[in-house]
Amino acid sequence: MRLDDLYSQLTISTGAKLVLVVLDGVGDVATPEQGGLTPLEAAQTPNLDQLAQVSALGRMIPVAPGITPGSGPGHLALFGYDPIEYQVGRGVIEALGLGVDLQPGDVCARANFATLDDKGIVTDRRAGRIPTETCERLCARLQERIQQLGDTRVIIRPGKEHRFVVVFRGPDLEGPLTDADPNREGLPIPRAEPRDPQNPRQQKMAKLVAEFYQAALPLLAGEKPANGFLMRGIAHQPHIPRFEERYRLRAAALAVYPMYKGLAQLVGMTKLEGPQTVREQFERYLAEYDRYDFFFIHHKATDKAGEDGNFEAKKRAIEELDAALPVLLQKKPDVLAITGDHSTPCVVRGHSWHPQPVLLHSRYSGTDKRARFTEHDANHGSLGLFEARFLLRLMQAHARMFDKFGA
């Protein structure tokens, strides 16, 4: 018997309220450059610390030891799906989050405007995080001039700052492809290639991506700093079991960035649009409390600061959530988990393989008698070190949603 099948057999509905708060990339490592502290340790977090003192703590491996996850695998694991079994292209997630009504056979790519030098070398993968208004203007230009490539329709949608998506809609297309992104500065844009070189649909898709670059790059040539772009997560939409069927929980998502809305929508959560700050997200949670059983609340600023290597900004992002936390606790859920989807250490300036800290609070969680919610305190918590895909199951257990197994 598969473990998921066993969980399904044991699951019962209890009417409990569960909340998962994700400080994106919150995990970090202490370095001499940071005064021997992580941002969590340096931050003033009286509300998180008070909660930690009556909770269980631990750390989670997002995928497997040593593997650095993207945001997609990191969040799918938090939602209880094995990120190795359920692999989703980042383009699909971003397109869903931007409200694109995907059709069977669509292939999606997540794109960044970027800066290229006169030799085509990538000097800034995010084009200085251009304003969203600039992204919208450039996407409109590209969409006006590139609407069709052969028998394939091209759909371009702007996201936030430097991000946008490209959807290819036509016959005989399939992903996944390799990234047209060197994933670091100082290298040229690589050609997107079929993951399966013998697959003719992937071969056609790779040719279309090359044609798109050939048509689009000249339209950006005079722009500064966004005179180029990178594409990754080029794939089609897979089948994933629906969240409500899997967990017997009506789920809602409160996220600002399109990608995280798309991840939630991918598994069947309802997107609650509107809130732009973490305080507004918590206030919306209060307003929607009676309509849903499970709330996913996403805070992006911690990850963004970690990617920039900005220790102070990451500390402030943690403090921002801490200051708003009493709003959420006005209607304290039966089970509350606070964690990250992965670690984004400032010294790495990107996602990493380091386990992220997790706090789990319920009537049944007990207390680990730790003073704060930090990586150090989490190392000494009763939850220990476990795979992130089991967090949702632990939350269900703390909600008394599992019948006894065996006699």
Side-chain angles (χ1 to χ4, degrees):
M1 177 185 291
R2 295 176 67 246
L3 185 57
D4 279 338
D5 293 336
L6 175 60
Y7 278 124
S8 294
Q9 287 184 14
L10 297 177
T11 298
I12 55 178
S13 297
T14 63
K17 300 290 184 179
L18 291 75
V19 173
L20 171 63
V21 176
V22 178
L23 288 84
D24 200 305
V26 69
D28 216 292
V29 294
T31 67
E33 296 85 353
Q34 296 171 184
L37 299 174
T38 68
L40 262 178
E41 291 170 340
Q44 298 296 313
T45 55
N47 297 306
L48 280 169
D49 296 341
Q50 185 176 15
L51 192 60
Q53 292 163 20
V54 290
S55 301
L57 302 178
R59 297 190 77 167
M60 299 190 302
I61 300 172
V63 178
I67 292 180
T68 296
S71 296
H75 278 83
L76 284 176
L78 291 182
F79 298 160
Y81 298 85
D82 184 340
I84 297 175
E85 179 180 355
Y86 298 101
Q87 297 190 36
V88 184
R90 189 159 183 162
V92 171
I93 298 165
E94 195 85 5
L96 288 170
L98 288 172
V100 179
D101 185 12
L102 295 182
Q103 298 180 8
D106 286 355
V107 175
C108 310
R110 201 264 200 182
N112 280 9
F113 284 110
T115 305
L116 310 178
D117 68 12
D118 56 4
K119 295 181 180 179
I121 301 298
V122 178
T123 59
D124 186 339
R125 293 183 61 252
R126 301 178 181 89
R129 295 191 186 274
I130 55 174
T132 299
E133 295 77 12
T134 302
C135 177
E136 291 171 345
R137 174 176 61 83
L138 296 178
C139 285
R141 179 192 300 173
L142 294 176
Q143 184 68 91
E144 181 182 4
R145 299 289 295 274
I146 310 172
Q147 300 184 19
Q148 196 84 13
L149 293 172
D151 60 1
T152 301
R153 181 184 172 194
V154 179
I155 301 167
I156 301 169
R157 293 288 185 272
K160 285 188 173 291
E161 298 175 329
H162 52 284
R163 306 169 182 88
F164 65 103
V165 297
V166 185
V167 179
F168 298 89
R169 179 171 293 166
D172 302 320
L173 303 181
E174 189 175 296
L177 306 184
T178 61
D179 292 345
D181 181 351
N183 291 300
R184 66 191 67 184
E185 281 82 13
L187 296 172
I189 303 172
R191 181 184 175 91
E193 301 287 356
R195 294 284 186 183
D196 177 3
Q198 306 305 315
N199 186 321
R201 293 172 181 260
Q202 291 184 22
Q203 292 173 358
K204 179 181 179 180
M205 190 61 242
K207 183 180 178 182
L208 281 168
V209 171
E211 292 175 358
F212 181 73
Y213 266 98
Q214 187 175 13
L217 282 177
L219 300 177
L220 301 173
E223 291 290 332
K224 293 183 179 180
N227 63 344
F229 62 93
L230 311 172
M231 300 174 72
R232 60 188 187 275
I234 307 169
H236 59 277
Q237 183 174 350
H239 171 72
I240 294 183
R242 309 295 281 177
F243 192 94
E244 185 168 356
E245 296 171 2
R246 189 176 173 92
Y247 303 113
R248 298 190 192 175
L249 294 167
R250 295 168 298 163
L254 285 157
V256 176
Y257 281 72
M259 180 178 182
Y260 309 99
K261 298 177 186 178
L263 279 161
Q265 186 178 346
L266 185 68
V267 300
M269 295 187 195
T270 300
K271 294 185 296 182
L272 301 179
E273 302 281 13
Q276 295 298 303
T277 68
V278 67
R279 181 174 292 274
E280 291 173 353
Q281 290 172 305
F282 289 163
E283 290 171 347
R284 184 65 179 276
Y285 155 77
L286 296 180
E288 302 283 351
Y289 181 87
D290 293 330
R291 296 185 59 196
Y292 300 96
D293 309 308
F294 180 92
F295 291 86
F296 157 56
I297 304 175
H298 181 267
H299 184 50
K300 174 65 175 175
T302 36
D303 181 62
K304 182 177 175 180
E307 288 184 336
D308 290 342
N310 192 330
F311 181 90
E312 287 300 319
K314 189 169 182 180
K315 180 170 75 74
R316 289 195 302 271
I318 294 167
E319 291 173 343
E320 178 189 5
L321 183 135
D322 183 81
L325 190 59
V327 176
L328 181 145
L329 296 178
Q330 289 176 32
K331 289 187 177 179
K332 193 173 182 180
D334 297 289
V335 183
L336 173 61
I338 301 177
T339 187
D341 56 328
H342 52 76
S343 295
T344 306
C346 294
V347 68
V348 176
R349 299 176 70 95
H351 297 190
S352 80
W353 59 95
H354 299 91
Q356 65 264 38
V358 58
L359 176 157
L360 183 61
H361 178 78
S362 80
R363 179 183 178 186
Y364 308 103
S365 62
T367 171
D368 291 338
K369 297 181 174 63
R370 304 304 305 180
R372 304 197 62 207
F373 177 53
T374 67
E375 292 88 352
H376 176 76
D377 287 274
N379 287 340
H380 299 276
S382 60
L383 297 178
L385 179 67
F386 64 98
E387 292 181 33
R389 65 191 178 102
F390 292 112
L391 176 61
L392 212 298
R393 298 304 191 181
L394 282 174
M395 294 178 71
Q396 284 185 289
H398 280 258
R400 304 299 300 271
M401 290 187 67
F402 292 138
D403 203 353
K404 185 169 65 173
F405 172 56

